[in-house]
């Protein structure tokens, strides 16, 4: 979590890590932990956070985790269950 300026560390909503801006609490918490350990002379690494969110829209509970491929750049398979209203989307890239 050391920035491009030696001995200056950053974590949380004000940073990007590997070009990812997380904007969620679990990422900020882990980044802060790693930054704190290293600021104290330790040797900890941050390897990213699995993005997940839950919210309620128009009375419907929505949960998403992982790479949701919001730009629809990847191939995907959709599983839908109309009774319990759930959609499972598997995203994968055909290119190695
Ligand atoms: C409405 C809302 C709902 C959210 N819901 C969720 C959720 O359900 N799940 C989830 O995972 N994440 C949620 N988030 C995101 C989550 O709150 C943030 O990712 C997390 O709080 C980031 O932590 P942080 O320490 O980087 O920043 P912050 O929590 O914003 O902490 C920054 C602190 O720095 C202080 N500060 C700012 N400027 C200065 C200064 N000049 N001097 C001293 N102190 C300063 C601020 O007062 C603040 O206390 C939500 C965010 C918002 C706004």
């Amino acid at each position: 979590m050391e920035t491009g300026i030696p001995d200056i560390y950053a974590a949380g909503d004000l940073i990007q890590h590997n070009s990812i801006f997380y904007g969620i609490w679990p990422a900020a918490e882990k980044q802060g932990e790693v930054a704190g350990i290293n600021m104290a002379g330790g040797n900890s690494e941050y390897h990213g956070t699995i993005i997940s969110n839950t919210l309620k829209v128009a009375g419907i509970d929505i949960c998403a985790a992982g790479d949701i491929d919001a730009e629809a750049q990847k191939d995907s398979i959709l599983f839908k269950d109309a009774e319990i209203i759930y959609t499972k989307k598997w995203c994968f890239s055909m290119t190695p």
Side-chain angles (χ1 to χ4, degrees):
M1 306 317 299
E2 190 174 23
T3 67
I5 305 170
D7 295 330
I8 302 295
Y9 294 78
D13 276 8
L14 79 168
I15 70 155
Q16 283 190 343
H17 178 265
N18 286 341
S19 302
I20 299 174
F21 168 74
Y22 287 98
I24 52 172
W25 173 249
E29 183 184 32
K30 185 64 186 174
Q31 292 167 1
E33 177 188 316
V34 170
I37 289 170
N38 292 338
M39 289 165 72
N43 186 25
S44 184
E45 289 184 18
Y46 175 68
H47 297 286
T49 299
I50 294 175
I51 297 172
S52 64
N53 273 299
T54 60
L55 71 158
K56 183 171 269 195
V57 178
I60 300 171
D61 290 314
I62 299 173
C63 171
D67 178 7
I68 62 167
D69 185 30
E71 305 295 326
Q73 299 294 307
K74 297 177 181 172
D75 299 300
S76 63
I77 301 170
L78 282 180
F79 298 91
K80 290 190 178 182
D81 184 324
E83 275 187 26
I84 59 170
I85 316 177
Y86 101 81
T87 299
K88 188 186 284 183
K89 180 180 176 186
W90 296 92
C91 301
F92 53 91
S93 176
M94 295 298 283
T95 51

